[in-house]
Amino acid sequence: KTECGKILAKILNWEFIDTDENIKLGGKTIESFSAEFGMDEFRRRELHAIQESLARAEKISGCVLAMGGGFVDSVESKAALNTWLSSQRETAKIVWVKAKLPTIETRLQEGPVRAGGKLSPDELASLLHKRAPAYECIANFEFDNDQNGYIAERLKDWLRGLRAYDL
């Protein structure tokens, strides 16, 4: 998601904002912060980062905003996004960056630990199944990021397809 967002922002010559990078954790990793202070406190800080990011996005022309996948688990975070979208609906487009379960498992093993710590394959599958309806409801478009590599070229092709429909 972050890599796609950065590349998309570069292609469009827009600013990139990643809410995960704006969560204030006092220098701790997400895993250690969540273990010490709990997921409720992490989600509270995530909400604050989302609110700040949306306020910033509202003030600039052309922005790619990447949000952590767990934002849909928070009623408050979804409400913040929906409120922002109601004022931006004419111009804002939500892209669900999708990948299949095996791809996500591999990326999670290779990358930093996310909120909630390491998940078993069954827990991850259950989480994705639970979140999918929220992603489907909020997204205008989907981008298949199941393949490794060539993200920039695939994003350019994807954008050309959208522009062909004047979207």
Side-chain angles (χ1 to χ4, degrees):
K1 159 191 66 71
T2 297
E3 186 176 0
C4 287
K6 286 179 179 178
I7 292 169
L8 186 58
K10 186 174 182 178
I11 291 169
L12 296 170
N13 198 29
W14 288 359
E15 185 172 337
F16 175 71
I17 301 172
D18 189 337
T19 60
D20 284 353
E21 292 176 3
N22 294 329
I23 301 173
K24 309 286 189 278
L25 301 179
K28 297 181 181 298
T29 65
I30 292 174
E31 181 181 33
S32 66
F33 183 90
S34 299
E36 185 174 342
F37 299 103
M39 281 303 295
D40 288 343
E41 179 60 18
F42 173 79
R43 292 292 178 214
R44 190 185 71 71
R45 291 183 184 214
E46 179 184 51
L47 172 61
H48 185 71
I50 288 169
Q51 291 168 329
E52 285 183 340
S53 298
L54 291 171
R56 185 169 155 208
E58 199 167 286
K59 295 175 184 170
I60 56 180
S61 175
C63 173
V64 173
L65 177 65
M67 298 177 71
F71 89 91
V72 297
D73 296 336
S74 163
V75 171
E76 294 86 359
S77 293
K78 286 190 292 189
L81 179 62
N82 285 327
T83 298
W84 180 80
L85 282 173
S86 68
S87 68
Q88 304 292 317
R89 190 45 89 176
E90 296 301 314
T91 57
K93 304 294 182 226
I94 306 295
V95 179
W96 177 12
V97 178
K98 295 178 73 170
K100 292 182 177 74
L101 182 60
T103 303
I104 295 171
E105 288 174 329
T106 300
R107 289 179 183 158
L108 288 175
Q109 289 171 357
E110 295 170 353
V113 175
R114 312 293 184 182
K118 296 274 186 195
L119 300 175
S120 72
D122 288 343
E123 290 170 321
L124 182 58
S126 176
L127 184 63
L128 293 174
H129 181 73
K130 179 183 121 186
R131 290 177 176 173
Y135 296 147
E136 289 172 2
C137 179
I138 212 162
N140 302 97
F141 306 102
E142 297 176 6
F143 176 73
D144 178 10
N145 192 28
D146 205 48
Q147 303 169 2
N148 285 323
Y150 308 110
I151 295 173
E153 290 306 313
R154 290 187 295 113
L155 278 168
K156 287 177 185 175
D157 289 344
W158 181 76
L159 280 172
R160 276 192 283 278
L162 292 180
R163 288 180 177 149
Y165 294 100
D166 196 30
L167 300 173

